[in-house]
C-alpha cells in the first residue's frame, strides 16, 4: 500500500528538518495553553488513563443549561456523550458572552470582495474608490440578528429538529443563518456555494429538508455566482413531488434582477421570503432552545466511495466541547488579547463550521470572513487583508499555499504581515516545499505552523501540533490531540513498527466524532467501524480511510486516502460521483475516474472514458476529440460543480477490468500519473491490448 498511496509526497520520507516550539512571548502571545512537550504528554496520558475525568474537565469550558450526568455511554459503534446535559450552541457562541458583559466586543469582522462598490462601510482611512466594504459585528449584534432570523424561521414553520438547508455566499448573514438554526434547535445543512443545482436537490431530498436559505448572488472574482438561479433549478426538479421545496428565503447581496427566478420558484409552489423584508421587522427576543446533548446540531454532506454523498451527522454537546477545545489548544485562542482569527475555508465545508464559526466564537475570539477569491482584484488580496485587519492566526489549505508560491515571493513581501503569530494548514498532506515557503514568506521564519489532520467525520483536529509544545517537521501533522487514541495498524488491528505504512485508526470514541450517516446507520457502521478491530477485545476501531506511517519519534505522516475518495484542492470528491456525472452524458458508455498528481491541486481528476459507438455514428463530425473533452468537462461542472471538472479526460476503447468485472483503478492511477512501466500484476486483466492503448494515448 505504502508506495501507491503516498500520492507525490515521497520526499517526506527523507524529511529531517525539525522546528522546535518557541516561547509564547517571542510570538506575541501572553502564554501557551500547553507550553511544553511534557505538559502535552501529561495531558495526553491523563486523557488515556482517566478519559472520564479528562472530558468532564473539557466540557466545563461550555455553558450547560442542565449539567450532564454521565460522560460517555459507549455501545460500539454508538456513542452518547454528556448524557442528560442540555445546552445550546448559539448561546455558547453568542449570548453567553453578552451575559458575561462582553456584548460590545467584536465577534465577527467581514470584508466583501468588490472594491469601491458597497453600501457605505469603507475601510477606515483608505481611498473609498479602492476600499473594500468592511462590516463588524459585536456579540450583541449577533444576538439580535440570530434572534430575529430565528423568529422569522419559526414564522416560516421551522420547528426544532427540522433540517434547514443553507446555500449562501460568504457573508455575515451566512454565520447568522447557521447560528439562528442552532438557536431555535433546527438542524442546519450547509451546501458549499460552488455546488450545482443537482447537488442541492439531492441533498435536500436526502435530508428531507423543505426550507432553503440563499441569496440573489454572491461575489467571486469580480463576478456574480448565480445562487438563486441554482436554487430555482433545484426547486424546479423537485416541484410537484413529495420532496418539493416549501420555503425559499433570500438575502439580497448582489442586487441583480432575479424576478424571473423568483417567479419560477413561486410557480413551482414554494414561497419566497426576502431577508430585508422580514428580518428587520422581527422581534429580537428569541430564546436559545435547550437542546439535549445528543440532539442533532447539523448535517454536512461529504463524499464517500459510492456515488451518493453522505450526510454526516454531528450532535450538539460532544461536537461543541470538542471543537471548542481543539480550537483553543491548536490555535492558542485567548479572549480579549487582541487576537483576530482568519480561517479562509468556506462555511460550506467542515473547516468553516468548526473553525470559522463554532470553535472560534465559543472561545470569544473574533473571527474574520472574506467573501471572495484570493486573486481579486490582484493576487495579493489575502496579504492585504492580513495587513489591513492585523490578523493574528491564519489558517488555510496547502493548495492555496502552492498557488501563492507560484504567484511569487514579492506579493507577500509587499505587505506588513507582522501581526501574524501562528499559521495553520488543513485538508491534504502539505509537501515540505510548500511548508517551507509558508514558513519563510508568510510566517517570516517566526510563526509556528500547525498542520492539522482531521475530517468532516471527526468534528475537529485529531492529529496536530500544539504550537507551544510540539516541535514541527515539514509535512507531518505530528502527534494526536489529547483525548485521541490514534494509531497506524495493519488489517488485523496490530500497531505497526515505526516507518511502516498502514491504516490510520482511532481506537476509542471522542466527543467530536460523527454519530451517524443521515438516514443510513448501516453505512455508518460499515464505513467507519467494520474494517479494523482491536485484536484483543474485538471492539471496532474508527477507520479514517487514510493511510499513514509514524516515524521513530511517533510523528504521524498521512499518506492519503485508501478508498475511492480524492482530495482535489483540499475539496473532498468521490471518484464515483464524477463517474456518475460523466455517464449521465449521452455520449459516454463507461467512465473510470482516478486521482493524478497535480502541482497545485495536490491531486487532479483524471477521467478515462469510453464512448457509445451509436452516439458517435449518429451525426457526422462526432469524434473523441478535444471539443468533446470540453463538452464533457462542462457537463461534470454542471452536474456537480466547477471544482469537480476533470483536469484530464482520456478516451479509451475499453477499460481494464479484472475477470470479476472490477475496473483496475490501481493500473489507471499509474497510467494517469504517467508511470511509464505498468508495474502492477496484470495477469487478471481481461484485455491486455487495452493497457497498451491507454498508455499510448497521452492527453
Ligand atoms: O485525506 C485526509 C485529508 O482530508 C480528508 C478529509 O477531508 P474532509 O472531510 O473534506 O475534511 C477536510 C478538512 C478537515 C482526510 O481523510 N486531510 C485533511 N487534513 C489533512 C489531510 N491529509 C493530510 N494532512 C492533513 N493535515
Amino acid at each position: 500500500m505504502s508506495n501507491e498511496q503516498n500520492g507525490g509526497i515521497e520526499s517526506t520520507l527523507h524529511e529531517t528538518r525539525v522546528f522546535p516550539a518557541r516561547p509564547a512571548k517571542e510570538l506575541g502571545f501572553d502564554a501557551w495553553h500547553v507550553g511544553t512537550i511534557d505538559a502535552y504528554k501529561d495531558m495526553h496520558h491523563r486523557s488515556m488513563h482517566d478519559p472520564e475525568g479528562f472530558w468532564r474537565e473539557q466540557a466545563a469550558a461550555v455553558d450547560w443549561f442542565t449539567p450532564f450526568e454521565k460522560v460517555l455511554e459507549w455501545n460500539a459503534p454508538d456513542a452518547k456523550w454528556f448524557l442528560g446535559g442540555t445546552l445550546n450552541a448559539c448561546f455558547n457562541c453568542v449570548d453567553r458572552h453578552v451575559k458575561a458583559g462582553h456584548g460590545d466586543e467584536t465577534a465577527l469582522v467581514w470584508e466583501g470582495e468588490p472594491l469601491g462598490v458597497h453600501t457605505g462601510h469603507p475601510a477606515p482611512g483608505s481611498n473609498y474608490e479602492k476600499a473594500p466594504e468592511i462590516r463588524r459585528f459585536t456579540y450583541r449584534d449577533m444576538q439580535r440578528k440570530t434572534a430575529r432570523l430565528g423568529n422569522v424561521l419559526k414564522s416560516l414553520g421551522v420547528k426544532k429538529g427540522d433540517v434547514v438547508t443553507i446555500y449562501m455566499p460568504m457573508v455575515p448573514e451566512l454565520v447568522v443563518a447557521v447560528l439562528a438554526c442552532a438557536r431555535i434547535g433546527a438542524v442546519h445543512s450547509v451546501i458549499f456555494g460552488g455546488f450545482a443545482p443537482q447537488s442541492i436537490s439531492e441533498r435536500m431530498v436526502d435530508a428531507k429538508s423543505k426550507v432553503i436559505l440563499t441569496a440573489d448572488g454572491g461575489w467571486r472574482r469580480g463576478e456574480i455566482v448565480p445562487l438563486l438561479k441554482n436554487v430555482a433549478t433545484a426547486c424546479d426538479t423537485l416541484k410537484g413531488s413529495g420532496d418539493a421545496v416549501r420555503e425559499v428565503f433570500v438575502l439580497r447581496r448582489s442586487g441583480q434582477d432575479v424576478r424571473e427566478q423568483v417567479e419560477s420558484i413561486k410557480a413551482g409552489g414554494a414561497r419566497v421570503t426576502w431577508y430585508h423584508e422580514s428580518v428587520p421587522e422581527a422581534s429580537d427576543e428569541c430564546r436559545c432552545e435547550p437542546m439535549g446533548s445528543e440532539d442533532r446540531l447539523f448535517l454536512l454532506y461529504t463524499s464517500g466511495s459510492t456515488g451518493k454523498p453522505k450526510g454526516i451527522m454531528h450532535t450538539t454537546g460532544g461536537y461543541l466541547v470538542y471543537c471548542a477545545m481543539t480550537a483553543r489548544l491548536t490555535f492558542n485562542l485567548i479572549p480579549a488579547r487582541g487576537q483576530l482569527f482568519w480561517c479562509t475555508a468556506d462555511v460550506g465545508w467542515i473547516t468553516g463550521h468548526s473553525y470559522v464559526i463554532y470553535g472560534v466564537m465559543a472561545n470569544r475570539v473574533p473571527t474574520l470572513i472574506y467573501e471572495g477569491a484570493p486573486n481579486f482584484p490582484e493576487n495579493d488580496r489575502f496579504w492585504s487583508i492580513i495587513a489591513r485587519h492585523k490578523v493574528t492566526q491564519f489558517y488555510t489549505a496547502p493548495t492555496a499555499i502552492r498557488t501563492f508560491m507560484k504567484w511569487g515571493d514579492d506579493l507577500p513581501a509587499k505587505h506588513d504581515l507582522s501581526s501574524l503569530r501562528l499559521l495553520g494548514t488543513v485538508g491534504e498532506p502539505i509537501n515540505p516545499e510548500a511548508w517551507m515557503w509558508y514558513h519563510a514568506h508568510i510566517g517570516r521564519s517566526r510563526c509556528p505552523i500547525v498542520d492539522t489532520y482531521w475530517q468532516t467525520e471527526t468534528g475537529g483536529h485529531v492529529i496536530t501540533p500544539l504550537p507551544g509544545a510540539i516541535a514541527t517537521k515539514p509535512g507531518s501533522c505530528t502527534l494526536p490531540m489529547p483525548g485521541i487514541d490514534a494509531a497506524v495498524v495493519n488489517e488485523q488491528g496490530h500497531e505497526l513498527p515505526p516507518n511502516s505504512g498502514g491504516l490510520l485508526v482511532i481506537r476509542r470514541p471522542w466527543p467530536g466524532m460523527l454519530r451517524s450517516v443521515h438516514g443510513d446507520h448501516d453505512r455508518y457502521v460499515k464505513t467507519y467501524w467494520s474494517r479494523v478491530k482491536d485484536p484483543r477485545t474485538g471492539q471496532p476501531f474508527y477507520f479514517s480511510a487514510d493511510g499513514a506511517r509514524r516515524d521513530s519519534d511517533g510523528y504521524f505522516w498521512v499518506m492519503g486516502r485508501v478508498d475511492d475518495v480524492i482530495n482535489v484542492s483540499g475539496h473532498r470528491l468521490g471518484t464515483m460521483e464524477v463517474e456518475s456525472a460523466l455517464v449521465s452524458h449521452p455520449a459516454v458508455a463507461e467512465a473510470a475516474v482516478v486521482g493524478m498528481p497535480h502541482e497545485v491541486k495536490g491531486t487532479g481528476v483524471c477521467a478515462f472514458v469510453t464512448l457509445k459507438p451509436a452516439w458517435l455514428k449518429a451525426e457526422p463530425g462526432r469524434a473523441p476529440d478535444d471539443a468533446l473533452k470540453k463538452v464533457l468537462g462542462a457537463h461534470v461542472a454542471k452536474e456537480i460543480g466547477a471544482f469537480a471538472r476533470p483536469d484530464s479526460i482520456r478516451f479509451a476503447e475499453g477499460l481494464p477490468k479484472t475477470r470479476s468485472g472490477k475496473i483496475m483503478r490501481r493500473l489507471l492511477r499509474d497510467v494517469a500519473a504517467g508511470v511509464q512501466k505498468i508495474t502492477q500484476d496484470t495477469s487478471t486483466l481481461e484485455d491486455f491490448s487495452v493497457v497498451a492503448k491507454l498508455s499510448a494515448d497521452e492527453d
Side-chain angles (χ1 to χ4, degrees):
M1 187 192 75
S2 52
N3 256 349
E4 69 145 337
Q5 294 304 342
N6 67 5
I9 57 160
E10 207 146 4
S11 55
T12 57
L13 290 171
H14 314 295
E15 183 58 55
T16 51
R17 285 169 288 206
V18 179
F19 293 81
R22 301 178 58 175
K25 292 241 162 34
E26 281 182 21
L27 297 160
F29 288 106
D30 293 337
W32 295 116
H33 285 300
V34 183
T36 62
I37 187 69
D38 288 340
Y40 160 75
K41 283 186 180 157
D42 284 352
M43 197 172 175
H44 195 272
H45 186 266
R46 156 116 203 274
S47 72
M48 294 294 108
H49 290 86
D50 175 21
E52 299 243 331
F54 174 79
W55 288 117
R56 187 180 294 282
E57 231 163 64
Q58 296 307 321
V62 161
D63 205 290
W64 299 83
F65 294 153
T66 328
F68 54 89
E69 288 146 16
K70 196 170 175 197
V71 173
L72 170 66
E73 195 176 283
W74 176 230
N75 294 310
D78 297 313
K80 290 196 173 121
W81 284 91
F82 310 122
L83 270 90
T86 66
L87 76 169
N88 183 285
C90 179
F91 182 87
N92 271 282
C93 291
V94 178
D95 297 58
R96 158 165 79 138
H97 307 319
V98 177
K99 219 172 128 189
H102 308 295
D104 295 330
E105 285 178 20
T106 302
L108 178 76
V109 181
W110 173 82
E111 177 163 321
E113 187 192 77
L115 302 183
V117 186
H118 42 68
T119 50
H121 306 274
S126 53
N127 174 351
Y128 188 89
E129 288 301 310
K130 293 206 174 142
E133 181 179 359
I134 291 171
R135 296 166 73 194
R136 286 169 210 283
F137 301 85
T138 62
Y139 292 104
R140 205 185 306 285
D141 295 332
M142 293 305 283
Q143 186 180 40
R144 212 167 15 235
K145 283 171 119 15
T146 54
R148 286 192 171 145
L149 181 54
N151 281 327
V152 171
L153 291 176
K154 284 189 198 168
S155 76
L156 300 181
V158 175
K159 295 192 185 58
K160 190 169 171 175
D162 287 354
V163 180
V164 171
T165 302
I166 301 177
Y167 181 68
M168 288 177 73
M170 286 285 281
V171 291
E173 290 79 4
L174 165 57
V175 180
V176 172
V178 165
L179 292 172
C181 287
R183 188 171 193 98
I184 65 168
V187 178
H188 53 77
S189 165
V190 185
I191 302 179
F192 169 55
F195 275 114
Q198 167 81 18
S199 305
I200 304 172
S201 48
E202 229 172 59
R203 286 159 171 73
M204 288 189 79
V205 170
D206 188 80
K208 299 194 171 46
S209 172
K210 306 280 187 186
V211 179
I212 181 162
L213 313 188
T214 186
D216 58 352
W219 287 101
R220 181 128 191 125
R221 212 162 286 129
E223 295 189 357
I224 294 172
V225 184
L227 297 168
L228 190 65
K229 192 162 165 241
N230 291 344
V231 169
T233 310
C235 288
D236 200 48
T237 47
L238 301 177
K239 76 176 175 208
S241 73
D243 297 316
V245 177
R246 200 186 68 217
E247 306 283 345
V248 179
F249 182 83
V250 194
L251 172 79
R252 192 164 64 198
R253 166 64 187 140
S254 64
Q256 63 183 327
D257 183 354
V258 288
R259 273 174 297 185
E260 198 186 313
Q261 284 86 43
V262 169
E263 286 318 311
S264 138
I265 292 169
K266 285 185 181 162
R271 182 162 57 165
V272 174
T273 308
W274 284 91
Y275 194 105
H276 62 273
E277 287 173 0
S278 56
V279 172
E281 306 290 308
S283 154
D284 51 21
E285 292 287 321
C286 174
R287 77 164 188 160
C288 291
E289 201 61 39
M291 304 301 287
S293 182
E294 284 297 331
D295 281 344
R296 296 181 303 170
L297 178 60
F298 64 86
L299 299 179
L300 183 56
Y301 282 83
T302 189
S303 298
S305 44
T306 73
K308 196 169 166 276
K310 45 194 176 185
I312 301 300
M313 185 178 113
H314 282 286
T315 57
T316 312
Y319 171 79
L320 197 68
V321 167
Y322 194 69
C323 86
M325 175 189 97
T326 52
R328 185 171 62 251
L329 297 182
T330 307
F331 302 121
N332 208 50
L333 299 184
I334 304 174
R337 279 288 180 273
Q339 298 189 352
L340 177 62
F341 185 83
W342 183 21
C343 162
T344 66
D346 194 285
V347 170
W349 308 109
I350 189 69
T351 309
H353 283 59
S354 299
Y355 304 112
V356 172
I357 305 183
Y358 289 114
V360 185
M361 294 187 74
N363 277 294
R364 192 159 62 85
V365 164
T367 185
L368 183 132
I369 294 189
Y370 165 56
E371 178 180 34
N375 55 349
F376 187 87
E378 305 292 342
N379 291 352
D380 63 346
R381 182 65 183 267
F382 274 17
W383 319 130
S384 79
I385 292 175
I386 290 175
R388 184 160 39 250
H389 297 277
K390 303 205 178 347
V391 170
T392 46
Q393 290 105 321
F394 177 66
Y395 189 34
T396 195
T399 185
I401 298 166
R402 289 190 292 266
T403 308
F404 300 141
M405 283 172 77
K406 275 186 109 161
W407 288 345
D409 305 352
D410 51 322
L411 295 179
K414 278 200 319 208
H415 296 272
D416 176 7
L417 304 183
S418 59
S419 58
L420 288 173
R421 302 175 190 173
L422 181 145
L423 305 173
T425 81
V426 58
E428 51 183 313
I430 181 165
N431 47 312
E433 199 193 349
W435 196 103
M436 290 305 298
W437 185 88
Y438 198 30
H439 175 72
H441 295 277
I442 309 305
R444 309 273 154 94
S445 305
R446 202 170 45 88
C447 304
I449 296 180
V450 288
D451 173 355
T452 62
Y453 168 82
W454 59 298
Q455 309 176 298
T456 307
E457 292 87 343
T458 67
H461 309 144
V462 286
I463 309 180
T464 177
L466 299 189
I470 298 175
T472 52
K473 303 182 188 182
S476 168
C477 53
T478 75
L479 298 170
M481 179 62 69
I484 296 297
D485 188 10
V488 175
V489 300
N490 62 14
E491 292 281 352
Q492 289 70 43
H494 291 290
E495 198 159 5
L496 291 170
N499 291 318
S500 311
L503 306 172
L504 177 49
V505 297
I506 302 177
R507 295 185 290 198
R508 60 173 83 186
W510 68 102
M513 65 187 245
L514 78 165
R515 298 296 191 269
S516 190
V517 171
H518 176 72
D520 197 349
H521 199 65
D522 268 3
R523 194 169 171 192
Y524 164 77
V525 178
K526 282 200 191 93
T527 313
Y528 303 106
W529 300 96
S530 297
R531 174 116 175 222
V532 200
K533 293 191 170 54
D534 186 327
R536 285 174 300 114
T537 63
Q539 286 267 316
F541 290 159
Y542 170 83
F543 175 50
S544 65
D546 278 305
R549 71 179 173 93
R550 294 184 88 162
D551 66 17
S552 47
D553 294 325
Y555 277 40
F556 284 80
W557 299 78
V558 174
M559 299 190 287
R561 303 283 303 197
V562 297
D563 58 359
D564 292 326
V565 168
I566 51 180
N567 250 308
V568 180
S569 299
H571 293 166
R572 182 162 153 183
L573 194 61
T575 51
M576 290 264 289
E577 285 173 73
V578 185
E579 289 166 6
S580 312
L582 282 165
V583 295
S584 73
H585 190 278
V588 177
E590 264 193 315
V593 169
V594 294
M596 62 179 203
H598 189 285
E599 202 190 333
V600 174
K601 297 181 175 183
T603 305
V605 179
C606 178
F608 293 89
V609 169
T610 65
L611 297 170
K612 288 183 187 150
W615 183 88
L616 282 170
K617 276 192 226 121
E619 270 180 38
R622 283 186 174 174
D625 54 12
D626 283 350
L628 183 57
K629 286 183 185 174
K630 280 216 176 77
V631 169
L632 295 179
H635 181 72
V636 173
K638 186 175 118 270
E639 291 290 305
I640 304 176
F643 66 93
R645 189 194 304 261
D647 298 281
S648 168
I649 293 180
R650 301 164 74 142
F651 295 115
E653 281 183 17
L655 298 175
K657 291 189 184 156
T658 60
R659 283 190 205 289
S660 61
K662 275 183 91 177
I663 292 173
M664 301 184 76
R665 290 173 183 283
R666 294 211 305 165
L667 186 133
L668 290 179
R669 274 200 286 269
D670 264 7
V671 175
V675 175
Q676 291 301 313
K677 208 165 132 273
I678 305 297
T679 49
Q680 275 94 6
D681 173 12
T682 55
S683 60
T684 46
L685 256 192
E686 204 72 273
D687 177 3
F688 287 96
S689 66
V690 166
V691 180
K693 283 196 187 111
L694 283 171
S695 312
D697 174 22
E698 283 308 318
D699 195 31

